[in-house]
Amino acid sequence: MRIGIGYDVHPLIAGRPLILGGLEIPFGKGLDGHSDADVITHAVIDAVLGAAGEGDIGHHFGVSDPRYQGVRSLRLLEETWRRVKAKGFRIGNLDATVVAEAPHLAPHLRAMAANLAQILDSETARINIKPTTAKGLGPLGAGEGIACLAVVLLVEAGDEGR
Ligand code: MG
């Protein structure tokens, strides 16, 4: 078994769509960044890469690389998973905490988990995404951005620990 952790944060700005877990969520603002700035998917990519001993997202998908300008982050997760799967790993489970004062994410969690599960060749039941807030503290608490912390357990293929 291999465990990995990932963390990401992006600022919220006007005039961008809000993409979380590959899902576009209706909201007045969106996350700013080089790609679609999907913090959940970015944290998951870092956790997967960390568990596999494959460095981090910046190493594989550099911000200076024009190929990744405006790219859908689910596509980056797909590339990441292709590499990690080839090393013989499967998802044991994935747990992520999203810190967002707004919008209310609960209605979207299942669809986000399904998006991630599909790319990671996993059952949705192995993917857990839970929202929380910063209780008004600091920049996250002021709604200036959204952060995500993800933990992934990888297991050798054929040993999914059912
Ligand atoms: Mg990011």
Side-chain angles (χ1 to χ4, degrees), residues 7-10 35 37-39 42-43 57:
Y7 174 78
D8 196 24
V9 59
H10 281 263
S35 63
D38 180 343
V39 276
H42 290 184
I57 189 170

Side-chain angles (χ1 to χ4, degrees), residues 144-161:
E144 291 172 19
I146 295 178
C148 183
L149 184 65
V151 174
V152 167
L153 184 75
L154 297 181
V155 296
E156 299 287 346
D159 185 27
E160 279 86 351

Side-chain angles (χ1 to χ4, degrees), residues 15-161:
R16 292 260 301 180
L18 177 61
I19 312 290
L20 291 173
L23 201 69
E24 181 164 349
I25 294 166
F27 191 50
K29 294 175 268 187
L31 294 171
D32 193 22
H34 184 67
S35 63
D36 63 8
D38 180 343
V39 276
I40 296 179
T41 302
H42 290 184
V44 168
I45 288 171
D46 260 355
V48 168
L49 289 172
E54 287 279 339
D56 68 17
I57 189 170
H59 173 75
H60 293 277
F61 311 108
V63 291
S64 58
D65 191 330
R67 284 181 302 161
Y68 302 121
Q69 181 73 50
V71 76
R72 287 190 70 215
S73 297
L74 283 188
R75 223 173 55 64
L76 305 183
L77 180 61
E78 234 168 59
E79 273 190 52
T80 299
W81 187 241
R82 202 174 302 130
R83 172 186 299 265
V84 171
K85 190 182 173 182
K87 292 179 92 174
F89 289 116
R90 294 292 175 267
I91 295 293
N93 75 298
L94 183 167
D95 187 29
T97 296
V98 193
V99 185
E101 294 302 295
H104 184 53
L105 296 178
H108 308 291
L109 300 177
R110 185 173 289 270
M112 293 179 197
N115 281 344
L116 299 177
Q118 196 194 0
I119 288 172
L120 295 170
D121 302 303
S122 170
E123 299 136 46
T124 306
R126 292 177 185 272
I127 311 289
N128 192 73
I129 304 173
K130 52 200 190 303
T132 189
T133 72
K135 313 291 183 296
L137 294 170
L140 289 177
E144 291 172 19
I146 295 178
C148 183
L149 184 65
V151 174
V152 167
L153 184 75
L154 297 181
V155 296
E156 299 287 346
D159 185 27
E160 279 86 351

